[in-house]
Amino acid sequence: MSLIVQKYGGSSVADAESIKRVAKRIVDTRSAGNDVVVAVSAMGDTTDDLIDLAHSVAERPDAREFDMLVTTGERVSMALLAMAIKDLGFDARSYTGSQAGMITDSKHGDARIVDVTPVRVREALDQGAIAIVAGFQGFNRDSRDITTLGRGGSDTTAVALAAALDADVCEIYSDVDGVFTADPRIVPLAHKLDHITSEEMLELAANGAKVLHIRAVEYARRQGVTLHVRSSFSDLPGTIVYNPERAEEFEVEEPMIAGVAHDLTQAKITVSGVPDVPGKAAQIFAIVAEQGANIDMIVQNVSGRGTGITDISFTLPKAGAEKVKRALEEAKDEIGYEQLTFTEGIGKISLVGSGMRTNIGVSARLFEALRDAGINIDMISTSEIRISITVRAELVTEATRVIHSAFGLDADHEAVVYAGTGR
Amino acid sequence: MSLIVQKYGGSSVADAESIKRVAKRIVDTRSAGNDVVVAVSAMGDTTDDLIDLAHSVAERPDAREFDMLVTTGERVSMALLAMAIKDLGFDARSYTGSQAGMITDSKHGDARIVDVTPVRVREALDQGAIAIVAGFQGFNRDSRDITTLGRGGSDTTAVALAAALDADVCEIYSDVDGVFTADPRIVPLAHKLDHITSEEMLELAANGAKVLHIRAVEYARRQGVTLHVRSSFSDLPGTIVYNPERAEEFEVEEPMIAGVAHDLTQAKITVSGVPDVPGKAAQIFAIVAEQGANIDMIVQNVSGRGTGITDISFTLPKAGAEKVKRALEEAKDEIGYEQLTFTEGIGKISLVGSGMRTNIGVSARLFEALRDAGINIDMISTSEIRISITVRAELVTEATRVIHSAFGLDADHEAVVYAGTGR
């Protein structure tokens, strides 16, 4: 008998019919002899609706009250799910983040989990019941207030529970079939992966892939939790995201490249003609950090215009990029650069694969493929198992397809594309 | 400086605009130098919508989960209200029933308050903040589950807080101007009372008046809390509901009759030809009690058909009356009655007034007025300050108006009737 944690996203519980369908799936899992714990998101667009409601009553909604408000979404879906399961004749109980022992720090809107003590959940399982836990929320012991976990919160809830309860697997359900080699909405020949290492999944998630949130992937990796990314609309197996401990089960068949992620949420700033003296980069990025921006790629090249000056380019999320631009413009004399260029018209593409460690020529193949397609590469940035490039935004789709083909990832047939959001 | 508890019903917080308007009213009360605690209902029809949602996922929604579900309504409105107040520059904090120390028994859906320990609310007031409390909900210490307080729950929350915090007044806001001498929707010449004794309010509420729930009135009476029933849509004073301790402030002007309530929710059962021997009434009402019915009026008359037999009539809520009828029909031989008559076509009208204690001729005046109007009285039932009669349902409106006029309650002009629900 296994202990299975299942997470159902908003699209999987969007209405009464979906809730009943999910209840049936949960009951089938239980009937097969497993202990089942479920983390559930708010129904459909509820969270967005509640956020809109908050902004319609206040210009700057208070953070504590905001968390109290938005967490009602998961309370509604967890209670309805428990009701539907009980109506099918199985014992089920719902638990808020607080009742499930999801203890966090006090940072409303983006709380960190500091401890997970799912005592009541464990008791429910011991009594043969199914436990339904509200995703996306926790409890701060000091203030005794409800908190929300920030983006990817419900995935994180599921993984945290799986880790604390020593679950055999954590199934993440959404409206997509699993992890694909690229976003099937821009690469029709993308195919679903049967399995992927957690390290590769981390790189894909950190670089644009939306099916799993990076935070949940990190947590699973750190805690040794195996993830199974599946669709709640079918019974097909999805994608297993596994950790190094389980490598032997999968590695024999592991392809060199896992997939290609793309990211259109970045903007690029180039500070050119910076005096090439120690401390200038530090000065620039201190100003950037003050604005709270999360820098992604950084590239520094000695300027073609001569020795003694350099150009520094970096990418950052579009949201908040204007602030950074203005701050750097105000500091022009202080830094002493010649010119600042800002563009939102860029896209980042990342090729990810564990095989890069041991295979040479990957970058060569990548650059040749893009050269042959006449696509110009702007910035390049790498990690042990990832190569990222930036191109003009309007070329991202074509470039992604070119790279996908060049590395033999194309399926025999086009992927069936749902209007799915991957949530 | 006073401590004022305010309760706002669903129609007062139906949307973002209403919430902002209520926030302004609360802030004005605080600005006048008062400590303010607010109990708030769910927005508009939210509770009904959530109940529908529960029934769309399960045939018999689990009681514990049902309470978890419906209490989200008040959490949403309290958080939004706190946000709106903070946006106006005043400190405000929302508290769930649990956080506000509203401790109840374990009866989901109709929990009794067993203790009120509003420690965090008191702390908020001491720090100069406005406390917003979710109405209609509490917390059971044994199961550590959320509970709902049943009908009139938000009024009860407000009164319970007022009692526990020793508030100077408890203002109950809805979409009606106050307590009227009769329901203005059927008696256009009804007028708003400036004040009424809690004893009279109890009788009106228990006999059909909807502006305040009987439970809240009882609690206020028991705990010595003064109520002020007002409209959230105007600044006019409403109706003060006061207890005996404050009689001297009001009594000089107290009219003999407070008002006329009507009730169309009752059905009537007559068991005729019952053997007039000890124990028969007990036998009949034991069967009725087994069905969980709440008997209202009981009238027993020796039958006109001779000695040794009697007729017993009683009224009960229409909901559930069918069950009682069937149970009595099945027990016909056991009880030994001749015939059972069942009708839903009745209406009860109650004349209420403290003055009845000391004034004779009230019943005579009542019966004469109805006789002159050609309206037949069926059952009669009285208490110290109330006379109730039943008539055919279709005559309730006319009869109520006749009685209202006969006792000098008619206003000079017609009441402005809102499409209000009194909630």
Side-chain angles (χ1 to χ4, degrees), chain B residues 1-5 35 37 116 118 121-122 125 158-170 219 223-226 245:
Chain B
M1 190 171 89
S2 297
L3 196 165
I4 298 179
V5 174
D35 278 344
V37 177
V116 186
V121 171
R122 187 66 252 176
L125 296 177
V159 173
L161 285 169
L165 293 165
D166 203 22
D168 294 275
V169 70
C170 181
Y219 202 116
Q223 300 277 342
V225 174
T226 300
E245 310 87 79

Side-chain angles (χ1 to χ4, degrees), chain A residues 351 356 359-370 377 380 382 387 407:
Chain A
L351 183 71
M356 275 187 227
N359 281 271
I360 57 172
V362 174
S363 23
R365 197 193 314 188
L366 172 67
F367 301 151
E368 280 161 13
L370 291 170
I377 301 170
I380 301 166
T382 64
I387 304 175
F407 283 90

Side-chain angles (χ1 to χ4, degrees), chain A residues 15-17 19-20 43 50 53-62 64-69 71-73 75-84 86-88 92-96 99 120 139 143-146, chain B residues 15-17 19-20 43 50 53-62 64-69 71-73 75-84 86-88 92-96 99 120 139 143-146:
Chain A
D15 49 36
E17 277 318 298
I19 287 174
K20 288 196 280 194
M43 293 171 67
L50 288 169
L53 198 45
H55 287 285
S56 67
V57 302
E59 274 189 34
R60 296 139 305 158
D62 177 78
R64 173 193 185 265
E65 303 302 335
F66 188 83
D67 276 359
M68 172 61 72
L69 175 71
T71 52
T72 57
R75 288 172 85 105
V76 167
S77 52
M78 79 177 191
L80 290 173
L81 197 47
M83 275 182 208
K86 292 206 86 166
D87 217 49
L88 292 173
R93 288 168 229 169
S94 74
Y95 298 100
T96 61
Q99 292 172 324
R120 290 178 78 174
F139 183 73
S143 64
R144 297 175 65 204
D145 281 333
I146 306 287
Chain B
D15 49 36
E17 277 318 300
I19 287 174
K20 288 196 279 193
M43 294 171 68
L50 288 168
L53 198 45
H55 287 286
S56 67
V57 302
E59 274 190 33
R60 297 138 304 161
D62 176 78
R64 174 192 185 263
E65 303 302 335
F66 188 84
D67 276 0
M68 171 60 70
L69 175 72
T71 52
T72 57
R75 287 172 85 106
V76 167
S77 52
M78 80 176 192
L80 290 173
L81 196 47
M83 275 182 209
K86 292 206 85 168
D87 216 49
L88 293 173
R93 287 168 229 170
S94 74
Y95 298 100
T96 61
Q99 291 171 325
R120 291 178 77 174
F139 182 72
S143 64
R144 296 174 65 205
D145 282 333
I146 306 287

